[in-house]
Amino acid sequence: MFKLIPMSLYIHIPWCLKKCEYCDFNVYVKKNDIPEHEYIQHLLQDLEIDLKLIDNREIQTIFIGGGTPSLFQNKFIQKLIQGIKKRALLSNSIEISIEANPKKIETKNFIHYRESGINRLSLGIQTFNEKYLKVLGRAYNTEEAIDSLEIAQKVFNNVNIDIMYGLPSQSFNDALLDVHHAIHYNPSHISWYQLMIEPNTIFYAKKISVPKENMILKTCYQGDKLLKKSGYKKYEISSYSKPNYICKHNLNYWSFGDYIGIGCGAHGKITTKNGTIIRTVKNKNPYGFMQGNYTVSAHTVSRKDIIFEYFMNTFRLYNPISKKKFTEQTKICEKKIKKYIDIAIQEGYLIDTLKYWNTTKKGKKFLNSLLEIFLS
């Protein structure tokens, strides 16, 4: 069982030039010089501690997120990658992603990222519309977004762009125009998702309103049709890819794989040899983190929570859920969840076959209602 569960590594770099008004991530606005060297050293020390928990398992994907990782100088990103390679066992076909803002000043870094071993770039464009970029508080304009995308595609074979819909005062036509623009530039992967107003954001404090639900559903339906018609396969609720360009890192999350999380506020999930699942949470404060206080929480997940967490992730995917994998990854017998499965089938959310469970269209549409069954 132990070797069957894939392993990933997430690295959090928490600094940004400014905090966007919709953002609820653990980020800190850059006011002075970032302590890049010191932070990288602590990231690697944090990694060394967590590597002891995984018994030399092979890491198949790495994702450097934030914050804005591209604020770090190239030499420090290179030191980070080199340091990981010295300490961890990496797959020969490893996917290494980094997030970047589509600012002209950052595009010069792209070639250096590729040279350091990074092979996937994720650009947080969010919208091509100048008006909505200002509404969101983004620190770039439409021209920079397009230029960054075009440069990224010259350097990397694998480029993702993030696009949001349901923005404040956004019309149906404007939302669909963003989809058309995204398709026109033909990236290998598009993450297209609805803006959610989360607590602890400026939007929440301002009580910003978003388009009504019927407009959101109409946008979602039409945008989905456009993306599929243009050759993008939907493999997760908000993820579309060209053939062979599925994001392996995110797919591992949604498949209930394991991952180490290092850096400020990073979360991890590690399955031990005896099948126990441990969730780790790292210190959110960068200066507390750089004093060596890395892990603030490490708890064993209860059987009840394992069941809910498993389906909370796997129900997002647009492929059958293997009963065999459920047992292998959770160490829970299929019979233990039969009553939940039966209710979901009766409600029309699931289809049960000999080897798989499949969510129906209704199950995807009312995913929260489906998950509530597994909370009972």
Side-chain angles (χ1 to χ4, degrees):
M1 182 282 303
F2 188 64
K3 292 183 179 179
L4 292 175
I5 300 178
M7 174 61 68
S8 293
L9 169 62
Y10 174 74
I11 303 161
H12 192 73
I13 295 178
W15 288 277
C16 280
L17 289 174
K18 62 176 293 189
K19 187 163 185 174
C20 297
E21 301 201 356
Y22 62 89
C23 177
D24 71 334
F25 295 144
N26 183 44
V27 300
Y28 294 81
V29 176
K30 175 183 178 294
K31 295 180 179 178
N32 303 304
D33 290 339
I34 298 172
E36 296 167 270
H37 174 73
E38 186 180 0
Y39 191 69
I40 294 296
Q41 293 302 113
H42 282 285
L43 282 175
L44 293 173
Q45 290 174 34
D46 187 15
L47 174 64
E48 287 176 2
I49 294 169
D50 279 5
L51 284 174
K52 295 174 184 176
L53 301 174
I54 70 169
D55 196 41
N56 207 34
R57 289 163 65 188
E58 185 179 82
I59 292 174
Q60 298 182 1
T61 70
I62 298 173
F63 195 102
I64 307 170
T68 310
S70 49
L71 287 179
F72 273 41
Q73 297 176 63
N74 297 315
K75 64 180 180 180
F76 291 113
I77 296 295
Q78 187 175 31
K79 282 184 178 180
L80 174 62
I81 300 296
Q82 289 173 344
I84 294 168
K85 288 179 178 178
K86 288 178 182 178
R87 290 164 173 80
L89 178 64
L90 304 184
S91 166
N92 290 331
S93 58
I94 191 166
E95 173 192 272
I96 306 178
S97 305
I98 189 168
E99 289 181 334
N101 274 338
K103 287 185 66 66
K104 189 172 183 179
I105 195 171
E106 295 182 22
T107 57
K108 66 182 186 299
N109 297 330
F110 294 172
I111 187 71
H112 299 290
Y113 294 158
R114 191 185 69 185
E115 290 170 351
S116 69
I118 293 169
N119 51 25
R120 184 177 183 273
L121 188 77
S122 183
L123 282 174
I125 289 176
Q126 314 307 349
T127 175
F128 290 94
N129 189 307
E130 196 90 23
K131 179 176 76 172
Y132 300 118
L133 285 173
K134 291 177 181 177
V135 169
L136 294 173
R138 302 297 282 173
Y140 52 86
N141 57 38
T142 300
E143 184 180 353
E144 282 184 297
I146 293 170
D147 286 347
S148 297
L149 176 54
E150 290 178 339
I151 292 169
Q153 290 177 301
K154 291 176 183 177
V155 178
F156 291 94
N157 293 325
N158 196 351
V159 176
N160 168 70
I161 61 171
D162 290 343
I163 300 292
M164 290 196 296
Y165 64 93
L167 309 182
S169 75
Q170 187 182 42
S171 69
F172 170 76
N173 287 336
D174 283 344
L176 266 291
L177 194 56
D178 270 340
V179 179
H180 281 290
H181 282 313
I183 290 168
H184 170 75
Y185 291 104
N186 199 36
S188 53
H189 191 285
I190 297 174
S191 298
W192 187 59
Y193 53 94
Q194 180 187 348
L195 169 67
M196 305 299 289
I197 307 297
E198 302 287 356
N200 303 317
T201 64
I202 298 172
F203 273 0
Y204 185 84
K206 289 182 175 179
K207 298 181 179 178
I208 294 291
S209 59
V210 295
K212 296 185 183 298
E213 186 178 2
N214 61 344
M215 176 73 77
I216 294 291
L217 291 173
K218 181 182 175 184
T219 302
C220 181
Y221 176 73
Q222 293 296 334
D224 181 74
K225 282 180 64 177
L226 278 172
L227 286 160
K228 289 175 179 175
K229 187 178 179 180
S230 301
Y232 288 92
K233 180 182 179 182
K234 186 175 189 178
Y235 67 95
E236 185 269 341
I237 285 175
S238 58
S239 300
Y240 298 79
S241 80
K242 294 287 188 177
N244 302 317
Y245 286 101
I246 285 174
C247 178
K248 296 177 184 177
H249 186 86
N250 286 343
L251 186 62
N252 188 42
Y253 288 154
W254 298 319
S255 301
F256 207 61
D258 281 355
Y259 49 95
I260 292 172
I262 62 172
C264 296
H267 289 233
K269 169 188 172 280
I270 299 170
T271 306
T272 64
K273 280 185 175 180
N274 64 7
T276 300
I277 294 176
I278 298 171
R279 291 278 186 187
T280 61
V281 181
K282 301 302 170 67
N283 194 328
K284 285 187 173 183
N285 187 287
Y287 300 101
F289 182 84
M290 287 185 288
Q291 289 175 2
N293 302 318
Y294 305 138
T295 303
V296 295
S297 172
H299 72 275
T300 299
V301 183
S302 69
R303 286 168 64 87
K304 179 182 177 183
D305 286 342
I306 287 172
I307 293 170
F308 176 72
E309 288 183 12
Y310 186 87
F311 289 113
M312 181 178 67
N313 285 281
T314 57
F315 281 159
R316 292 178 64 96
L317 295 171
Y318 279 76
N319 61 310
I321 299 165
S322 167
K323 296 178 180 181
K324 181 181 178 182
K325 278 192 175 181
F326 168 79
T327 302
E328 288 173 349
Q329 291 180 281
T330 65
K331 283 297 189 181
I332 296 172
C333 175
E334 182 190 334
K335 292 180 181 178
K336 296 288 185 182
I337 61 167
K338 187 177 184 302
K339 60 181 179 181
Y340 308 124
I341 296 295
D342 287 346
I343 294 170
I345 292 168
Q346 289 167 15
E347 294 291 334
Y349 297 142
L350 279 186
I351 296 171
D352 190 15
T353 67
L354 183 63
K355 295 182 179 180
Y356 300 97
W357 299 297
N358 237 332
T359 47
T360 62
K361 287 184 179 180
K362 181 181 177 181
K364 281 288 186 285
K365 186 176 180 180
F366 299 103
L367 185 57
N368 287 341
S369 298
L370 169 56
L371 289 171
E372 283 174 7
I373 295 169
F374 293 86
L375 274 176
S376 60

